[in-house]
Amino acid sequence: MSPQEIKKILHNIDFQADSSLQEPFSKGLPILINLVEKLSEENEQLKIEIQKLRDENNQLKGEQGKPKIRGKKGRGKGKNVSSEKDRKEGCNSII
């Protein structure tokens, strides 16, 4: 959203002091909420883009990028994990 669009939206909000307090706020509040939502979404997208550009910049400087940490997908399933009994047997055979 461009700054011109933001200014246009804000100028279209009509807060008249001579009418009741409820009426002007009820007209302008949804517009402000929509504006905040749009700006928040845009802010999040820009944060992601900035981080990508920082990573690319660091890579071009020869630095290492973020490490890719892989999750535990299926690891450990079905593998036999040693028990206390197995460890004691291993220690007794050494002595």
Side-chain angles (χ1 to χ4, degrees):
M1 178 176 273
S2 70
Q4 292 82 15
E5 290 175 321
I6 295 170
K7 286 181 184 180
K8 183 179 178 183
I9 291 172
L10 291 174
H11 286 291
N12 287 336
I13 298 173
D14 184 25
F15 291 105
Q16 296 178 3
D18 58 345
S19 63
S20 70
L21 292 176
Q22 296 288 331
E23 201 172 307
F25 291 118
S26 64
K27 291 179 183 177
L29 191 59
I31 296 171
L32 286 174
I33 291 172
N34 288 334
L35 178 63
V36 169
E37 287 176 355
K38 287 179 184 178
L39 291 173
S40 177
E41 289 173 9
E42 184 177 343
N43 189 26
E44 289 302 315
Q45 291 173 354
L46 290 172
K47 285 180 182 180
I48 292 169
E49 184 178 349
I50 287 170
Q51 187 59 51
K52 286 179 183 177
L53 291 172
R54 284 181 179 159
D55 293 342
E56 183 180 354
N57 190 23
N58 288 337
Q59 186 179 10
L60 290 172
K61 286 191 224 177
E63 298 176 10
Q64 291 182 348
K66 281 187 174 180
K68 293 184 181 178
I69 301 171
R70 298 180 183 153
K72 293 184 177 181
K73 292 186 179 178
R75 280 197 240 165
K77 290 186 178 178
K79 290 186 178 181
N80 188 8
V81 180
S82 66
S83 64
E84 186 69 27
K85 181 181 172 186
D86 293 338
R87 286 187 278 177
K88 284 183 181 180
E89 287 176 5
C91 290
N92 291 339
S93 63
I94 296 174
I95 299 176

